[in-house]
Amino acid sequence: MEIREDDLTGEPIISLLCEHLENMYEITPPGSVHALDLDRLRAPHITFWTAWDGDDLLGCGALKELDPTSGEIKSMRTPARHRRRGIASRILEHIIDVARQRGYTYLYLETGAFPAFAPARALYERYGFVYRGPFGDYTDDPNSSFMEKRL
């Protein structure tokens, strides 16, 4: 598996992110969807990575700088056909490593509170993320789970 920084212009990643957004709006009330679209993911304070096996896109994830000492994990997604193979773990490990290299003290994330998001929450728990209240511009939302990891 090769993890590389992505410019979000290739058809495979555009398709995966469109699928991601569509899925989020299918299972989450509209006011509670915090997934970013392509334009917002291309912001200069966001670094985006994709994982590949040759020409096969395995998954993606992003790191948004909140301030010089903290970041937020965004857009973690693995296509259904590649789930349960450890790909999300490898992407998450990469993001955590980069956050440490940048000197961040904390990593934060928001994910859904519904049962469909239980695998994501379990992944983050395995990597030492703990539950907390809203951070940044988020507000308290019963449809969201907020987590942090001290690096």
Side-chain angles (χ1 to χ4, degrees), residues 5-146:
E5 197 168 326
D6 198 293
D7 65 5
L8 297 164
T9 59
E11 184 55 38
I13 192 56
I14 291 171
S15 293
L16 180 60
L17 289 171
C18 286
E19 171 193 308
H20 178 61
L21 276 176
E22 288 172 11
N23 183 238
M24 293 302 99
Y25 280 101
E26 287 171 358
I27 63 175
T28 307
S32 297
V33 175
H34 301 291
L36 302 178
D37 63 21
L38 280 168
D39 288 336
R40 291 171 56 203
L41 283 169
R42 291 182 178 129
H45 60 285
I46 297 177
T47 307
F48 194 91
W49 293 276
T50 46
W52 299 85
D53 180 7
D55 293 333
D56 194 13
L57 176 61
L58 304 175
C60 62
L63 178 58
K64 175 182 176 181
E65 182 168 287
L66 298 176
D67 59 52
T69 64
S70 64
E72 178 184 2
I73 295 172
K74 298 295 290 183
S75 300
M76 290 284 293
R77 184 72 174 194
T78 304
R81 71 185 184 282
H82 292 306
R83 291 186 186 146
R84 314 255 185 274
R85 294 179 41 202
I87 294 162
S89 292
R90 293 275 308 276
I91 294 169
L92 182 58
E93 289 167 4
H94 182 80
I95 291 171
I96 291 169
D97 287 346
V98 170
R100 284 188 173 121
Q101 290 167 13
R102 291 180 181 179
Y104 291 172
T105 305
Y106 283 96
L107 265 181
Y108 300 98
L109 64 89
E110 178 277 337
T111 191
F114 299 111
F117 294 94
R121 292 190 307 271
L123 169 71
Y124 299 128
E125 288 171 2
R126 281 195 310 274
Y127 280 86
F129 284 81
V130 296
Y131 292 94
R132 56 156 294 139
F135 61 90
D137 294 333
Y138 292 102
T139 58
D140 198 22
D141 182 345
N143 301 311
S144 290
S145 293
F146 301 98

